[in-house]
PDB file of all heavy atoms in Angstrom:
ATOM      1  N   GLN A  82      -0.936  14.765  20.179  1.00 39.00           N
ATOM      2  CA  GLN A  82      -1.402  14.478  21.517  1.00 39.00           C
ATOM      3  C   GLN A  82      -0.439  13.573  22.260  1.00 39.00           C
ATOM      4  O   GLN A  82       0.183  12.681  21.694  1.00 39.00           O
ATOM      5  CB  GLN A  82      -2.780  13.807  21.473  1.00 39.00           C
ATOM      6  CG  GLN A  82      -3.890  14.744  21.049  1.00 39.00           C
ATOM      7  CD  GLN A  82      -3.964  15.955  21.936  1.00 39.00           C
ATOM      8  OE1 GLN A  82      -3.714  15.888  23.116  1.00 39.00           O
ATOM      9  NE2 GLN A  82      -4.300  17.082  21.357  1.00 39.00           N
ATOM     10  N   SER A  83      -0.325  13.796  23.558  1.00 37.00           N
ATOM     11  CA  SER A  83       0.553  13.002  24.410  1.00 37.00           C
ATOM     12  C   SER A  83      -0.174  12.688  25.696  1.00 37.00           C
ATOM     13  O   SER A  83      -1.005  13.459  26.159  1.00 37.00           O
ATOM     14  CB  SER A  83       1.835  13.789  24.714  1.00 37.00           C
ATOM     15  OG  SER A  83       2.530  13.196  25.784  1.00 37.00           O
ATOM     16  N   PRO A  84       0.110  11.541  26.314  1.00 37.00           N
ATOM     17  CA  PRO A  84      -0.521  11.226  27.583  1.00 37.00           C
ATOM     18  C   PRO A  84      -0.098  12.158  28.713  1.00 37.00           C
ATOM     19  O   PRO A  84      -0.652  12.099  29.800  1.00 37.00           O
ATOM     20  CB  PRO A  84      -0.051   9.787  27.861  1.00 37.00           C
ATOM     21  CG  PRO A  84       0.328   9.239  26.529  1.00 37.00           C
ATOM     22  CD  PRO A  84       0.866  10.418  25.772  1.00 37.00           C
ATOM     23  N   ALA A  85       0.892  13.013  28.503  1.00 36.00           N
ATOM     24  CA  ALA A  85       1.350  13.907  29.570  1.00 36.00           C
ATOM     25  C   ALA A  85       0.247  14.872  29.970  1.00 36.00           C
ATOM     26  O   ALA A  85      -0.456  15.406  29.117  1.00 36.00           O
ATOM     27  CB  ALA A  85       2.573  14.693  29.109  1.00 36.00           C
ATOM     28  N   PRO A  86       0.067  15.127  31.261  1.00 34.00           N
ATOM     29  CA  PRO A  86      -1.003  16.016  31.704  1.00 34.00           C
ATOM     30  C   PRO A  86      -0.727  17.463  31.373  1.00 34.00           C
ATOM     31  O   PRO A  86       0.421  17.882  31.305  1.00 34.00           O
ATOM     32  CB  PRO A  86      -1.039  15.797  33.220  1.00 34.00           C
ATOM     33  CG  PRO A  86       0.338  15.342  33.562  1.00 34.00           C
ATOM     34  CD  PRO A  86       0.803  14.541  32.375  1.00 34.00           C
ATOM     35  N   VAL A  87      -1.802  18.234  31.153  1.00 29.00           N
ATOM     36  CA  VAL A  87      -1.712  19.681  31.002  1.00 29.00           C
ATOM     37  C   VAL A  87      -2.666  20.297  32.008  1.00 29.00           C
ATOM     38  O   VAL A  87      -3.160  19.630  32.904  1.00 29.00           O
ATOM     39  CB  VAL A  87      -2.075  20.112  29.563  1.00 29.00           C
ATOM     40  CG1 VAL A  87      -1.024  19.618  28.596  1.00 29.00           C
ATOM     41  CG2 VAL A  87      -3.439  19.570  29.152  1.00 29.00           C
ATOM     42  N   ALA A  88      -2.919  21.607  31.870  1.00 30.00           N
ATOM     43  CA  ALA A  88      -3.752  22.300  32.856  1.00 30.00           C
ATOM     44  C   ALA A  88      -5.081  21.598  33.051  1.00 30.00           C
ATOM     45  O   ALA A  88      -5.775  21.280  32.089  1.00 30.00           O
ATOM     46  CB  ALA A  88      -3.982  23.733  32.393  1.00 30.00           C
ATOM     47  N   SER A  89      -5.450  21.356  34.273  1.00 30.00           N
ATOM     48  CA  SER A  89      -6.677  20.638  34.584  1.00 30.00           C
ATOM     49  C   SER A  89      -7.881  21.560  34.537  1.00 30.00           C
ATOM     50  O   SER A  89      -7.907  22.580  35.201  1.00 30.00           O
ATOM     51  CB  SER A  89      -6.576  20.013  35.975  1.00 30.00           C
ATOM     52  OG  SER A  89      -7.792  19.367  36.320  1.00 30.00           O
ATOM     53  N   PRO A  90      -8.914  21.216  33.710  1.00 31.00           N
ATOM     54  CA  PRO A  90     -10.104  22.046  33.619  1.00 31.00           C
ATOM     55  C   PRO A  90     -11.205  21.533  34.527  1.00 31.00           C
ATOM     56  O   PRO A  90     -11.150  20.411  35.011  1.00 31.00           O
ATOM     57  CB  PRO A  90     -10.526  21.858  32.157  1.00 31.00           C
ATOM     58  CG  PRO A  90     -10.198  20.418  31.915  1.00 31.00           C
ATOM     59  CD  PRO A  90      -8.961  20.116  32.748  1.00 31.00           C
ATOM     60  N   SER A  91     -12.222  22.341  34.726  1.00 32.00           N
ATOM     61  CA  SER A  91     -13.413  21.823  35.374  1.00 32.00           C
ATOM     62  C   SER A  91     -14.204  21.064  34.339  1.00 32.00           C
ATOM     63  O   SER A  91     -14.269  21.438  33.190  1.00 32.00           O
ATOM     64  CB  SER A  91     -14.251  22.988  35.926  1.00 32.00           C
ATOM     65  OG  SER A  91     -14.629  23.849  34.878  1.00 32.00           O
ATOM     66  N   GLY A  92     -14.792  19.952  34.751  1.00 36.00           N
ATOM     67  CA  GLY A  92     -15.591  19.179  33.819  1.00 36.00           C
ATOM     68  C   GLY A  92     -14.763  18.325  32.886  1.00 36.00           C
ATOM     69  O   GLY A  92     -15.235  17.927  31.834  1.00 36.00           O
ATOM     70  N   SER A  93     -13.511  18.021  33.208  1.00 38.00           N
ATOM     71  CA  SER A  93     -12.721  17.128  32.377  1.00 38.00           C
ATOM     72  C   SER A  93     -13.326  15.730  32.419  1.00 38.00           C
ATOM     73  O   SER A  93     -13.913  15.323  33.429  1.00 38.00           O
ATOM     74  CB  SER A  93     -11.282  17.072  32.884  1.00 38.00           C
ATOM     75  OG  SER A  93     -10.659  18.307  32.723  1.00 38.00           O
ATOM     76  N   PRO A  94     -13.184  14.956  31.317  1.00 41.00           N
ATOM     77  CA  PRO A  94     -13.779  13.626  31.301  1.00 41.00           C
ATOM     78  C   PRO A  94     -13.104  12.715  32.306  1.00 41.00           C
ATOM     79  O   PRO A  94     -11.902  12.791  32.522  1.00 41.00           O
ATOM     80  CB  PRO A  94     -13.527  13.161  29.855  1.00 41.00           C
ATOM     81  CG  PRO A  94     -12.346  13.946  29.412  1.00 41.00           C
ATOM     82  CD  PRO A  94     -12.472  15.275  30.095  1.00 41.00           C
ATOM     83  N   THR A 177     -12.596  14.365  24.721  1.00 94.00           N
ATOM     84  CA  THR A 177     -13.875  14.936  24.304  1.00 94.00           C
ATOM     85  C   THR A 177     -13.641  16.393  23.928  1.00 94.00           C
ATOM     86  O   THR A 177     -12.631  16.988  24.302  1.00 94.00           O
ATOM     87  CB  THR A 177     -14.919  14.863  25.430  1.00 94.00           C
ATOM     88  OG1 THR A 177     -14.395  15.527  26.592  1.00 94.00           O
ATOM     89  CG2 THR A 177     -15.247  13.415  25.775  1.00 94.00           C
ATOM     90  N   LYS A 213     -12.347  23.648  23.028  1.00 96.00           N
ATOM     91  CA  LYS A 213     -11.415  23.057  23.982  1.00 96.00           C
ATOM     92  C   LYS A 213     -11.481  21.537  23.873  1.00 96.00           C
ATOM     93  O   LYS A 213     -12.562  20.963  23.715  1.00 96.00           O
ATOM     94  CB  LYS A 213     -11.750  23.488  25.401  1.00 96.00           C
ATOM     95  CG  LYS A 213     -10.829  22.926  26.473  1.00 96.00           C
ATOM     96  CD  LYS A 213     -11.164  23.484  27.854  1.00 96.00           C
ATOM     97  CE  LYS A 213     -10.776  24.938  27.950  1.00 96.00           C
ATOM     98  NZ  LYS A 213     -10.934  25.478  29.331  1.00 96.00           N
ATOM     99  N   GLN A 214     -10.332  20.907  23.937  1.00 95.00           N
ATOM    100  CA  GLN A 214     -10.242  19.447  23.941  1.00 95.00           C
ATOM    101  C   GLN A 214      -9.852  18.987  25.346  1.00 95.00           C
ATOM    102  O   GLN A 214      -8.821  19.382  25.871  1.00 95.00           O
ATOM    103  CB  GLN A 214      -9.196  18.971  22.926  1.00 95.00           C
ATOM    104  CG  GLN A 214      -9.091  17.450  22.823  1.00 95.00           C
ATOM    105  CD  GLN A 214      -7.923  17.034  21.945  1.00 95.00           C
ATOM    106  OE1 GLN A 214      -6.791  17.414  22.211  1.00 95.00           O
ATOM    107  NE2 GLN A 214      -8.196  16.258  20.909  1.00 95.00           N
ATOM    108  N   SER A 215     -10.708  18.185  25.970  1.00 94.00           N
ATOM    109  CA  SER A 215     -10.447  17.641  27.297  1.00 94.00           C
ATOM    110  C   SER A 215      -9.949  16.207  27.171  1.00 94.00           C
ATOM    111  O   SER A 215     -10.549  15.401  26.463  1.00 94.00           O
ATOM    112  CB  SER A 215     -11.710  17.685  28.154  1.00 94.00           C
ATOM    113  OG  SER A 215     -12.132  19.024  28.347  1.00 94.00           O
ATOM    114  N   ILE A 216      -8.864  15.904  27.843  1.00 93.00           N
ATOM    115  CA  ILE A 216      -8.177  14.626  27.697  1.00 93.00           C
ATOM    116  C   ILE A 216      -8.120  13.913  29.044  1.00 93.00           C
ATOM    117  O   ILE A 216      -7.926  14.553  30.080  1.00 93.00           O
ATOM    118  CB  ILE A 216      -6.743  14.841  27.175  1.00 93.00           C
ATOM    119  CG1 ILE A 216      -6.761  15.713  25.919  1.00 93.00           C
ATOM    120  CG2 ILE A 216      -6.049  13.511  26.899  1.00 93.00           C
ATOM    121  CD1 ILE A 216      -5.397  16.225  25.511  1.00 93.00           C
ATOM    122  N   ALA A 217      -8.289  12.613  29.025  1.00 93.00           N
ATOM    123  CA  ALA A 217      -8.142  11.812  30.236  1.00 93.00           C
ATOM    124  C   ALA A 217      -7.537  10.467  29.869  1.00 93.00           C
ATOM    125  O   ALA A 217      -7.557  10.058  28.700  1.00 93.00           O
ATOM    126  CB  ALA A 217      -9.483  11.629  30.937  1.00 93.00           C
ATOM    127  N   TRP A 218      -6.992   9.782  30.840  1.00 90.00           N
ATOM    128  CA  TRP A 218      -6.367   8.482  30.610  1.00 90.00           C
ATOM    129  C   TRP A 218      -6.366   7.705  31.923  1.00 90.00           C
ATOM    130  O   TRP A 218      -6.645   8.246  33.005  1.00 90.00           O
ATOM    131  CB  TRP A 218      -4.957   8.624  30.050  1.00 90.00           C
ATOM    132  CG  TRP A 218      -4.070   9.532  30.867  1.00 90.00           C
ATOM    133  CD1 TRP A 218      -3.247   9.185  31.891  1.00 90.00           C
ATOM    134  CD2 TRP A 218      -3.963  10.946  30.710  1.00 90.00           C
ATOM    135  NE1 TRP A 218      -2.621  10.295  32.392  1.00 90.00           N
ATOM    136  CE2 TRP A 218      -3.032  11.393  31.691  1.00 90.00           C
ATOM    137  CE3 TRP A 218      -4.540  11.883  29.849  1.00 90.00           C
ATOM    138  CZ2 TRP A 218      -2.677  12.729  31.827  1.00 90.00           C
ATOM    139  CZ3 TRP A 218      -4.196  13.208  29.994  1.00 90.00           C
ATOM    140  CH2 TRP A 218      -3.264  13.631  30.957  1.00 90.00           C
ATOM    141  N   SER A 221      -5.544   8.933  35.675  1.00 78.00           N
ATOM    142  CA  SER A 221      -5.569  10.391  35.733  1.00 78.00           C
ATOM    143  C   SER A 221      -7.003  10.861  35.896  1.00 78.00           C
ATOM    144  O   SER A 221      -7.679  11.173  34.912  1.00 78.00           O
ATOM    145  CB  SER A 221      -4.955  10.998  34.465  1.00 78.00           C
ATOM    146  OG  SER A 221      -5.061  12.401  34.483  1.00 78.00           O
ATOM    147  N   PRO A 222      -7.496  10.898  37.129  1.00 60.00           N
ATOM    148  CA  PRO A 222      -8.904  11.285  37.330  1.00 60.00           C
ATOM    149  C   PRO A 222      -9.205  12.726  36.939  1.00 60.00           C
ATOM    150  O   PRO A 222     -10.325  13.050  36.572  1.00 60.00           O
ATOM    151  CB  PRO A 222      -9.102  11.074  38.834  1.00 60.00           C
ATOM    152  CG  PRO A 222      -7.724  11.172  39.419  1.00 60.00           C
ATOM    153  CD  PRO A 222      -6.810  10.580  38.378  1.00 60.00           C
ATOM    154  N   ALA A 223      -8.198  13.594  36.999  1.00 64.00           N
ATOM    155  CA  ALA A 223      -8.446  15.003  36.673  1.00 64.00           C
ATOM    156  C   ALA A 223      -8.371  15.262  35.177  1.00 64.00           C
ATOM    157  O   ALA A 223      -9.064  16.104  34.637  1.00 64.00           O
ATOM    158  CB  ALA A 223      -7.442  15.898  37.400  1.00 64.00           C
ATOM    159  N   GLY A 224      -7.509  14.533  34.480  1.00 71.00           N
ATOM    160  CA  GLY A 224      -7.337  14.760  33.057  1.00 71.00           C
ATOM    161  C   GLY A 224      -6.687  16.107  32.787  1.00 71.00           C
ATOM    162  O   GLY A 224      -6.016  16.684  33.628  1.00 71.00           O
ATOM    163  N   GLY A 225      -6.871  16.625  31.591  1.00 83.00           N
ATOM    164  CA  GLY A 225      -6.299  17.905  31.216  1.00 83.00           C
ATOM    165  C   GLY A 225      -7.067  18.483  30.049  1.00 83.00           C
ATOM    166  O   GLY A 225      -7.971  17.853  29.513  1.00 83.00           O
ATOM    167  N   ALA A 226      -6.721  19.686  29.649  1.00 88.00           N
ATOM    168  CA  ALA A 226      -7.441  20.342  28.554  1.00 88.00           C
ATOM    169  C   ALA A 226      -6.525  21.268  27.793  1.00 88.00           C
ATOM    170  O   ALA A 226      -5.570  21.810  28.352  1.00 88.00           O
ATOM    171  CB  ALA A 226      -8.644  21.110  29.076  1.00 88.00           C
ATOM    172  N   GLU A 227      -6.820  21.435  26.512  1.00 92.00           N
ATOM    173  CA  GLU A 227      -6.076  22.352  25.655  1.00 92.00           C
ATOM    174  C   GLU A 227      -7.056  23.090  24.764  1.00 92.00           C
ATOM    175  O   GLU A 227      -8.030  22.511  24.279  1.00 92.00           O
ATOM    176  CB  GLU A 227      -5.062  21.590  24.784  1.00 92.00           C
ATOM    177  CG  GLU A 227      -3.953  20.910  25.567  1.00 92.00           C
ATOM    178  CD  GLU A 227      -2.979  20.172  24.663  1.00 92.00           C
ATOM    179  OE1 GLU A 227      -3.233  20.132  23.435  1.00 92.00           O
ATOM    180  OE2 GLU A 227      -1.990  19.642  25.174  1.00 92.00           O
ATOM    181  N   ASN A 228      -6.801  24.369  24.536  1.00 96.00           N
ATOM    182  CA  ASN A 228      -7.621  25.143  23.608  1.00 96.00           C
ATOM    183  C   ASN A 228      -7.336  24.702  22.184  1.00 96.00           C
ATOM    184  O   ASN A 228      -6.197  24.357  21.843  1.00 96.00           O
ATOM    185  CB  ASN A 228      -7.345  26.629  23.756  1.00 96.00           C
ATOM    186  CG  ASN A 228      -7.830  27.176  25.086  1.00 96.00           C
ATOM    187  OD1 ASN A 228      -8.857  26.739  25.610  1.00 96.00           O
ATOM    188  ND2 ASN A 228      -7.087  28.117  25.645  1.00 96.00           N
ATOM    189  N   ARG A 229      -8.359  24.704  21.344  1.00 97.00           N
ATOM    190  CA  ARG A 229      -8.235  24.311  19.945  1.00 97.00           C
ATOM    191  C   ARG A 229      -8.869  25.366  19.045  1.00 97.00           C
ATOM    192  O   ARG A 229      -9.863  26.000  19.402  1.00 97.00           O
ATOM    193  CB  ARG A 229      -8.925  22.966  19.693  1.00 97.00           C
ATOM    194  CG  ARG A 229      -8.314  21.790  20.424  1.00 97.00           C
ATOM    195  CD  ARG A 229      -6.957  21.463  19.875  1.00 97.00           C
ATOM    196  NE  ARG A 229      -6.358  20.347  20.572  1.00 97.00           N
ATOM    197  CZ  ARG A 229      -5.050  20.131  20.612  1.00 97.00           C
ATOM    198  NH1 ARG A 229      -4.227  20.972  20.007  1.00 97.00           N
ATOM    199  NH2 ARG A 229      -4.575  19.092  21.252  1.00 97.00           N
TER     200      ARG A 229
END
Side-chain angles (χ1 to χ4, degrees):
Q82 289 304 325
S83 165
V87 293
S89 177
S91 60
S93 294
T177 57
K213 180 176 289 187
Q214 183 187 57
S215 297
I216 308 167
W218 53 91
S221 176
E227 295 180 356
N228 292 325
R229 296 291 180 203

